């Protein structure tokens, strides 16, 4: 976007949304620590005062961006799971999804877990980890009883964290063995 296009002034009804999208884009590349009012304003090509006009503090900007990510993830999971008809098909799909999250969608997955663990020190951000877990739990619950739902949710979370920290991506076979064992216990 050229500087002339970016500075649209008070008549720019999409500015707040662009700031949210820009903050999320920065988080995907640099993590939460990369987001500042100055960085977002520069990347969005708007005056610095725009960020503080729309967001009283940095946490408000972060929360708006995290809410956007949460909405996007929920819609992706709903679309992804729409044609799944059984628990076994769900487990197979989850194995494929885990591999996708650890490869093609790695940056977004890293951000998701960075936000997930941010809540340990900053309780105001707990809503993201709870909402993120709820999306997965709601998807699994359509095919499994409550005990299996809780167990598979925890297992998927653990497998993704291990995959992010490991130097190798788990195989679909390894993921299927673990999830099917959990679902039949």
């Amino acid at each position: 976007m050229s500087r002339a296009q970016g500075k649209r002034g008070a008549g720019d009804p999409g500015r707040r949304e662009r700031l949210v999208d820009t903050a999320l884009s920065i988080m995907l590349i640099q993590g939460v620590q990369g987001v500042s009012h100055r960085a977002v304003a520069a990347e969005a090509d708007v005056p610095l005062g725009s960020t503080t006009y729309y967001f009283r503090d940095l946490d408000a900007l972060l929360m708006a961006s995290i809410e956007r990510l949460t909405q996007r993830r929920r819609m992706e999971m709903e679309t992804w799971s729409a044609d799944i008809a059984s628990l076994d098909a769900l487990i197979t799909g989850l194995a494929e999804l885990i591999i996708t999250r650890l490869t093609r969608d790695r940056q977004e997955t890293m951000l998701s877990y960075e936000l997930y663990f941010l809540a340990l020190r900053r309780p105001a951000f707990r809503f993201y980890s709870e909402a993120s877990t709820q999306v997965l739990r709601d998807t699994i619950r359509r095919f499994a009883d409550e005990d299996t739902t809780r167990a598979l949710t925890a297992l998927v979370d653990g497998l993704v964290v291990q995959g992010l920290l490991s130097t190798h991506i788990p195989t679909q076979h390894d993921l299927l063995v673990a999830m099917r064992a959990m679902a039949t216990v």
Side-chain angles (χ1 to χ4, degrees):
M1 178 183 308
S2 74
R3 190 162 285 288
Q5 291 173 324
K7 294 196 176 187
R8 297 181 188 152
D12 181 5
R15 183 172 287 184
R16 183 186 188 285
E17 297 308 308
R18 274 199 336 275
L19 293 170
V20 170
D21 289 338
T22 300
L24 183 54
S25 293
I26 290 170
M27 281 192 286
L28 285 167
I29 296 166
Q30 300 176 33
V32 173
Q33 74 279 356
V35 178
S36 67
H37 283 289
R38 189 170 306 282
V40 171
E43 185 69 26
D45 199 20
V46 299
L48 178 59
S50 291
T51 62
T52 56
Y53 174 79
Y54 290 106
F55 304 98
R56 69 185 177 287
D57 57 26
L58 193 56
D59 279 359
L61 177 56
L62 289 171
M63 288 204 186
S65 299
I66 293 166
E67 287 171 5
R68 172 78 41 86
L69 178 63
T70 303
Q71 291 168 352
R72 190 166 80 196
R73 294 298 289 267
R74 181 172 291 284
M75 289 187 325
E76 287 171 357
M77 282 298 284
E78 287 171 1
T79 300
W80 173 83
S81 67
D83 295 329
I84 295 174
S86 68
L87 180 58
D88 192 58
L90 175 71
I91 289 170
T92 300
L94 283 172
E96 294 167 359
L97 184 63
I98 290 169
I99 292 169
T100 299
R101 295 279 192 229
L102 294 174
T103 55
R104 188 192 74 202
D105 300 339
R106 191 172 187 86
Q107 287 295 108
E108 185 174 312
T109 304
M110 286 171 42
L111 174 60
S112 292
Y113 280 88
E114 180 180 348
L115 296 171
Y116 198 75
F117 290 109
L118 179 65
L120 292 173
R121 299 269 184 211
R122 298 178 66 189
F125 290 91
R126 208 165 270 154
F127 78 93
Y128 176 77
S129 58
E130 291 169 356
S132 181
T133 301
Q134 193 63 44
V135 168
L136 179 59
R137 189 177 296 124
D138 289 346
T139 301
I140 295 171
R141 186 177 286 122
R142 290 180 27 219
F143 305 100
D145 61 49
E146 195 58 33
D147 290 340
T148 303
T149 296
R150 278 194 307 274
L152 275 175
T153 300
L155 179 62
V156 168
D157 265 344
L159 291 168
V160 174
V161 169
Q162 287 178 353
L164 287 171
L165 295 172
S166 177
T167 57
H168 87 288
I169 305 301
T171 67
Q172 183 171 357
H173 173 77
D174 292 340
L175 295 170
L176 288 171
V177 167
M179 287 189 285
R180 285 184 176 141
M182 183 66 67
T184 60
V185 170

